[in-house]
């Protein structure tokens, strides 16, 4: 079993990540890291799973910037438990196409082993992010009538 990750290490990683310092971020990643961003791949092409340090750094350094330039990345909360760290974050960015500024929340769940991130799971508030990227509200969820006549959102 891996030892607990020090909070200072987690904070140092997020300082480098927020600064978009790819070389420094790379120092925190295991060679065989798995990095998954859950989100709408059709619109946010960087979403999905990357295997290996080179693929993760390419996603962070190049693929994300093809969609937007990160203006700020702020961890609002950091929780550390054993080899896991969880964060709730706010990202602000400027869209590469059109230059509109967007801001949305996301969560990270990182697993560390021997001081390196071996697994990162990121979950984007994709509904909010998609509306902002598109520049319009999405259609309301489909509604259906339940047997008792009440509306049920699906």
């Amino acid at each position: 079993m891996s030892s607990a990750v020090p909070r200072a290490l987690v904070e140092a990683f997020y300082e480098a990540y927020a600064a978009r310092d790819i070389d420094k971020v790379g120092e925190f990643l295991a060679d065989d890291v798995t990095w998954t961003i859950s989100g709408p791949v059709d619109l946010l092409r960087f979403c999905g799973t990357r295997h290996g340090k080179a693929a993760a750094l390419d996603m962070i350094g190049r693929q994300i910037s093809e969609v937007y330039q990160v203006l700020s990345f702020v961890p609002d909360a950091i929780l550390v438990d054993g080899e896991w760290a969880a964060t709730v974050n706010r990202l602000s960015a400027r869209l590469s196409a059109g230059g509109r500024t967007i801001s949305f929340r996301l969560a990270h769940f990182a697993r560390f082993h021997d001081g390196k991130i071996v697994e990162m799971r990121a979950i984007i508030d994709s509904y909010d992010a998609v509306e902002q990227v598109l520049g319009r509200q999405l259609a309301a969820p489909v509604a259906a009538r339940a047997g008792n006549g009440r509306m049920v959102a699906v």
Side-chain angles (χ1 to χ4, degrees):
M1 181 170 162
S2 180
S3 60
V5 61
R7 183 180 181 89
L9 180 72
V10 175
E11 290 172 346
F13 165 73
Y14 278 102
E15 284 179 30
Y17 190 77
R20 310 316 273 182
D21 183 339
I22 298 305
D23 292 332
K24 189 70 172 169
V25 168
E27 294 174 14
F28 293 95
L29 303 183
D31 290 338
D32 61 346
V33 65
T34 298
W35 194 299
T36 300
I37 300 177
S38 296
V41 178
D42 291 343
L43 188 61
L44 303 174
R45 296 179 306 276
F46 56 82
C47 292
T49 299
R50 306 296 186 282
H51 299 282
K53 183 191 285 192
L57 292 174
D58 180 61
M59 180 265 306
I60 296 165
R62 183 184 61 81
Q63 295 175 16
I64 288 176
S65 65
E66 290 176 352
V67 178
Y68 54 68
Q69 298 291 4
V70 175
L71 302 174
S72 69
F73 181 93
V74 179
D76 292 329
I78 299 175
L79 301 172
V80 179
D81 183 21
E83 64 183 9
W84 285 93
T87 62
V88 176
N89 315 286
R90 164 118 357 236
L91 182 139
S92 296
R94 181 170 292 112
L95 291 175
S96 297
R100 191 171 55 258
T101 300
I102 63 173
S103 180
F104 58 89
R105 292 198 166 287
L106 62 152
H108 279 177
F109 302 92
R111 185 167 59 89
F112 288 76
H113 182 75
D114 293 334
K116 303 282 186 180
I117 296 173
V118 295
E119 180 181 5
M120 174 66 81
R121 300 177 196 172
I123 301 170
I124 296 173
D125 180 353
S126 56
Y127 195 85
D128 186 27
V130 166
E131 284 188 329
Q132 291 184 59
V133 168
L134 292 175
R136 63 178 171 81
Q137 290 185 330
L138 298 176
V142 176
R145 295 239 177 238
N148 59 7
R150 293 185 185 183
M151 296 296 289
V152 177
V154 181

